[in-house]
């Protein structure tokens, strides 16, 4: 994994709320340090904090849609089925919206 792991310079700053954890803080600092296109984050509170810091965000479901649009996967439904069968709760209306956006409904 050479070149894939980076030490995060914690001397930078991001605006945080009282519940920010070290992992989210480091992810936001790394985003800024490498001028990333997006920060992958699903946690609702973390997404709000990222937006306050003018960080472009994308969630797991957005990654699936982009992967399909780029031809990296042929369908998002199998991945959505795996997520729906896990302990992760996603509202059925959101799952249906993702399927519609992916043209699979």
């Amino acid at each position: 994994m050479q070149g894939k792991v980076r030490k995060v310079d914690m001397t930078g700053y991001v605006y945080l709320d009282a519940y920010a954890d070290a992992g989210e803080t480091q992810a936001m600092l790394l985003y800024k340090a490498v001028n990333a296109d997006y920060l992958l984050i699903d946690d609702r509170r973390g997404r709000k904090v990222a937006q306050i810091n003018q960080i472009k965000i994308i969630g797991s479901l957005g990654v699936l849609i982009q992967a399909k649009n780029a031809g990296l996967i042929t369908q998002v439904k199998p991945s959505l089925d795996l997520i729906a069968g896990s302990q992760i709760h996603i509202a059925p209306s959101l799952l249906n919206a993702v399927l519609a956006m992916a043209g699979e409904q």
Side-chain angles (χ1 to χ4, degrees):
M1 283 219 147
Q2 257 183 336
K4 300 290 182 181
V5 178
R6 294 179 188 232
K7 184 174 177 141
V8 177
D9 178 7
M10 295 298 285
T11 60
Y13 71 91
V14 290
Y15 298 106
L16 302 172
D17 67 5
Y19 303 102
D21 66 32
E24 288 176 346
T25 302
Q26 289 178 347
M28 290 181 207
L29 289 170
L30 181 60
Y31 168 95
K32 290 182 176 265
V34 301
N35 296 316
D37 294 327
Y38 292 96
L39 175 67
L40 174 61
I41 188 166
D42 286 319
D43 176 71
R44 182 180 296 162
R45 185 199 49 76
R47 292 170 73 96
K48 287 181 183 177
V49 172
Q51 289 173 323
I52 289 168
N53 284 283
Q54 300 177 342
I55 292 173
K56 288 193 229 174
I57 56 172
I58 189 167
S60 300
L61 302 179
V63 169
L64 290 174
I65 292 169
Q66 285 194 353
K68 181 175 180 186
N69 291 342
L72 299 172
I73 59 175
T74 57
Q75 292 183 308
V76 299
K77 185 163 181 6
S79 297
L80 293 180
D81 290 342
L82 286 172
I83 293 169
S86 73
Q87 293 183 358
I88 299 169
H89 175 73
I90 299 176
S93 59
L94 180 55
L95 294 174
N96 288 332
V98 170
L99 287 172
M101 290 166 65
E104 295 181 31
Q105 211 175 30

